[in-house]
Amino acid sequence: MSQATLGGVDRPRGRSPGVAMGRPQSRLSRLFTLESLVMGGAIAALFVLVVLPLFFLLIGSVWGESGFTLEHFTEALSGRLYLQALLNSLMLGAWTGLFSLLLGLPLAWAVARTNVPGKGLITLTANLSYLSPPFLTAIAFVNLFGTNAGLINVFFRDVVGLPWIGFNIFSMPGLVLVTVLHTFPYVYLLASSALQSVDASYEEAAQILGASKWRTVFSITTPLVMPAILSGVLLAFVNAIALFGSQAIIGLPARIVTLPTRIYSLFDYPAQYGLASALSLLFVVITIAALYLQRSYLARRSFVTLGGKGARPQLMDLGWVKWPLFGFCVLVFFVSIVLPYATLIAVSLSKSWGLNFWQGLTLQHYKFVLFDYDVTQRAILNSLGLAIVAATVAVFLGAIIGWIDIRTHIPGRKFLDYAALVPLGLPGIVMAVALIQFWLSMPIALYGTLAILLLAYVGRYIPLGVRAANTSLRQIDPTLEESARILGASWGHTLKEITLPLMRPGLFAGWLLVFVPVIQELSASILLFSSSSMTLAVAIYNLYETGYTEPVAALAMTNMAIIAVAIVIARKIGGGGIGKDPDKAPAPQGGTA
């Protein structure tokens, strides 16, 4: 028999080194290898976290005391209270999508295509706005524009004597304002990326043929980036209708009831699980309908640009116009970042919030929430533990599911990838209702425990782990892993020594993307918590509901401090590329994009 030398050892040609010197593995031993067990466990976890809860949500919506029924959907689609909630949600989503477009697109165009100064400030504004919890922004604006006690309203009413200048935050415009400050980064980030990538030769050709700069912008550039713009508007719409905290804090006092707050009210005793399930599925229908309309619009048009490497776009010289545009960017930064954060800091340091707050500054409220009040202490520890574990589990499962999709030919692997992405379009309150329906029918009592919160967080944010792992795996040349296996390394050893180290920056970015929303998650937590499993966001909401204005602000700033520390630590551990401009990051090692 011909021999081949591999690693100093003579081995038969054409055989794997792992089996050449021993007997062939039996079917049973192959079934229980580490690779099979890990992949099987990841698939089972995905079904328990996502597929089965959504299946029970569907069953719960059409099952009553006497069996199959459509009465839940009939009531949801005919009852005045539920139709009004649906209409309010659609109005909120539509206005938010429109103003996110009007705010995000000019900022994206200014950064990508003009010589406006302060581009770093614009990018910082979008990033901080995305990271800022909307319910904290809502609390800050209530302290400023509340009808009776809002600082700015009180100033104009009692000091200036012009009460008509004040702004009532407890209104649909107020709710839209707070929501847009969180959702416009979706349009900005997607549009700016598209504007930087589009082939600029088309714009140059239009200008050579006599088109003005502004006509080129509206006739050439905007249509080319329309898919990215519509995707950003769709994300803004879906996120706007799903946010519970801001809709409860601003909407309920204004008697503006939306689908999330209406679903929340159905869990008052006696809980109406079937009707809550039907209303939750309306969310899914709205999301699918919005996606269908977007794709129908795009399908009727072509957005393909022919050619190889596109020319780098030339920055438009705006002349004196760049200064008003820069002023607009500064205004957005002030309203979305400076105003809410400065307000929360001022409230947290004041003995009593009012026009003379600066006369009695104190750290007593931080002492209260961090050292004296056991409820907030427990909530902080619960949120930290849940966020760390949920982010780690989501990224681990995402890495395995991504590996199955990219590196194997297992039948049904695409279904796993699609199933893992489903929660991305589901509001947190829908995932909470699905988990309640599923686990209430199981013999294991998980409702109100930290375990069900962990399941909710991992299930809701596993798409972020899958996408991060998927992107990282596509940048790693599979021949590196194949070489290790040929040289005798086991699957687990290859994963540990080659695949995971090369994926580290991407995995830590994914870990951070999960950790940040979990630490501030309210929509699902508000239905799943108990006194022993209270989280940081729920503690803030409950303190706000009971009127503890100053401690709420102190706890809110503690929340933001935790997020800031997590970002710094993740960047140090995961590599300096996390959070930096991808164009300045080093090229991936041994990878094919």
Side-chain angles (χ1 to χ4, degrees):
M1 180 184 294
S2 61
Q3 301 289 315
T5 301
L6 243 175
V9 180
D10 289 340
R11 302 192 186 278
R13 287 188 184 275
R15 291 190 181 182
S16 170
V19 297
M21 304 304 293
R23 293 179 299 174
Q25 291 180 311
S26 66
R27 180 186 296 270
L28 186 63
S29 62
R30 288 197 302 269
L31 185 64
F32 288 98
T33 60
L34 177 63
E35 180 179 0
S36 301
L37 290 175
V38 171
M39 287 194 297
I43 294 171
L46 183 62
F47 269 79
V48 172
L49 290 168
V50 178
V51 178
L52 290 178
L54 292 179
F55 174 75
F56 274 78
L57 178 70
L58 177 61
I59 295 299
S61 67
V62 296
W63 199 262
E65 295 180 357
S66 58
F68 179 82
T69 180
L70 293 177
E71 64 179 8
H72 302 313
F73 282 102
T74 302
E75 185 174 358
L77 295 174
S78 61
R80 183 182 61 84
L81 294 177
Y82 309 113
L83 288 177
Q84 186 61 51
L86 174 62
L87 178 62
N88 288 337
S89 289
L90 292 176
M91 287 180 58
L92 174 62
W95 283 115
T96 300
L98 174 62
F99 283 103
S100 296
L101 173 65
L102 296 178
L103 197 60
L105 186 57
L107 294 179
W109 176 74
V111 168
R113 291 304 182 92
T114 74
N115 63 338
V116 67
K119 293 184 178 182
L121 177 67
I122 300 174
T123 302
L124 178 66
T125 301
N127 291 335
L128 290 180
S129 297
Y130 172 75
L131 291 174
S132 300
F135 69 94
L136 296 187
T137 305
I139 292 173
F141 275 80
V142 167
N143 286 315
L144 289 175
F145 299 105
T147 308
N148 298 318
L151 190 69
I152 293 179
N153 285 345
V154 170
F155 174 78
F156 282 111
R157 183 185 66 220
D158 298 343
V159 178
V160 182
L162 299 174
W164 54 270
I165 294 183
F167 175 69
N168 182 15
I169 194 68
F170 298 117
S171 60
M172 180 61 78
L175 184 54
V176 170
L177 170 65
V178 170
T179 308
V180 167
L181 295 181
H182 175 70
T183 57
F184 85 85
Y186 292 112
V187 177
Y188 168 81
L189 293 172
L190 291 175
S192 61
S193 177
L195 284 167
Q196 290 169 0
S197 302
V198 74
D199 190 346
S201 61
Y202 293 93
E203 299 162 303
E204 295 170 359
Q207 293 182 22
I208 290 173
L209 293 174
S212 66
K213 291 182 178 180
W214 293 108
R215 184 179 179 185
T216 302
V217 169
F218 291 107
S219 301
I220 305 295
T221 309
T222 301
L224 287 176
V225 298
M226 188 58 68
I229 294 173
L230 289 180
S231 295
V233 172
L234 177 63
L235 285 173
F237 173 86
V238 171
N239 278 271
I241 65 174
L243 295 173
F244 171 80
S246 54
Q247 295 176 27
I249 291 169
I250 292 178
L252 290 182
R255 297 184 179 180
I256 301 174
V257 180
T258 57
L259 282 179
T261 52
R262 181 59 67 193
I263 292 173
Y264 175 68
S265 69
L266 293 175
F267 283 83
D268 292 336
Y269 184 83
Q272 302 179 59
Y273 297 119
L275 185 54
S277 299
L279 287 175
S280 298
L281 287 175
L282 283 182
F283 265 121
V284 181
V285 173
I286 292 172
T287 303
I288 294 174
L291 183 61
Y292 173 77
L293 291 175
Q294 179 211 27
R295 292 195 172 184
S296 297
Y297 175 83
L298 296 179
R300 295 195 299 267
R301 293 163 173 80
S302 175
F303 300 92
V304 178
T305 57
L306 300 178
K309 220 172 183 180
R312 295 291 296 177
Q314 293 183 352
L315 297 182
M316 181 184 296
D317 185 2
L318 297 178
W320 65 268
V321 177
K322 69 181 179 182
W323 296 113
L325 182 58
F326 175 67
F328 171 72
C329 299
V330 172
L331 177 64
V332 173
F333 175 73
F334 178 78
V335 173
S336 61
I337 305 300
V338 176
L339 200 58
Y341 280 103
T343 301
L344 289 174
I345 292 173
V347 174
S348 69
L349 295 176
S350 63
K351 285 185 177 180
S352 179
W353 179 243
L355 289 177
N356 298 320
F357 72 91
W358 50 272
Q359 293 180 354
L361 301 182
T362 178
L363 293 174
Q364 181 62 34
H365 305 304
Y366 286 95
K367 178 177 180 293
F368 173 72
V369 298
L370 294 176
F371 303 106
D372 297 340
Y373 193 33
D374 63 327
V375 173
T376 53
Q377 291 175 354
R378 184 166 61 249
I380 292 172
L381 293 176
N382 286 343
S383 288
L384 277 174
L386 286 168
I388 292 171
V389 176
T392 303
V393 173
V395 167
F396 175 76
L397 290 176
I400 301 303
I401 294 170
W403 189 86
I404 292 173
D405 180 34
I406 302 298
R407 294 289 195 260
T408 73
H409 299 284
I410 296 176
R413 66 188 184 279
K414 291 300 178 185
F415 169 78
L416 289 178
D417 188 54
Y418 294 144
L421 292 180
V422 167
L424 201 59
L426 298 179
I429 204 163
V430 172
M431 288 296 296
V433 175
L435 284 170
I436 290 172
Q437 286 282 27
F438 176 55
W439 288 105
L440 284 182
S441 61
M442 297 289 109
I444 306 174
L446 289 184
Y447 185 69
T449 65
L450 291 173
I452 197 169
L453 286 168
L454 179 62
L455 292 173
Y457 297 157
V458 175
R460 187 180 180 193
Y461 297 113
I462 197 172
L464 302 178
V466 172
R467 289 299 94 189
N470 200 302
T471 301
S472 297
L473 276 170
R474 292 183 185 277
Q475 294 178 323
I476 299 174
D477 194 337
T479 58
L480 297 174
E481 300 162 287
E482 294 167 3
S483 299
R485 299 299 296 273
I486 291 173
L487 292 172
S490 65
W491 177 81
H493 191 72
T494 302
L495 193 69
K496 176 185 174 183
E497 299 295 336
I498 294 179
T499 311
L500 291 180
L502 291 176
M503 293 174 65
R504 188 182 72 167
L507 291 181
F508 269 98
W511 189 92
L512 189 62
L513 286 174
V514 177
F515 179 91
V516 170
V518 167
I519 204 74
Q520 60 192 32
E521 209 286 330
L522 179 62
S523 300
S525 307
I526 198 69
L527 288 182
L528 300 174
F529 84 99
S530 65
S531 58
S532 62
S533 61
M534 184 177 292
T535 62
L536 186 53
V538 174
I540 293 173
Y541 180 74
N542 284 350
L543 281 175
Y544 173 81
E545 287 288 284
T546 52
Y548 286 89
T549 303
E550 294 81 13
V552 163
L555 200 55
M557 294 313 301
T558 302
N559 188 353
M560 296 311 300
I562 292 173
I563 293 174
V565 171
I567 293 174
V568 171
I569 293 176
R571 286 189 60 177
K572 286 186 176 295
I573 298 177
I578 296 178
K580 290 187 177 180
D581 188 348
D583 295 336
K584 298 178 182 178
Q589 302 179 34
T592 53

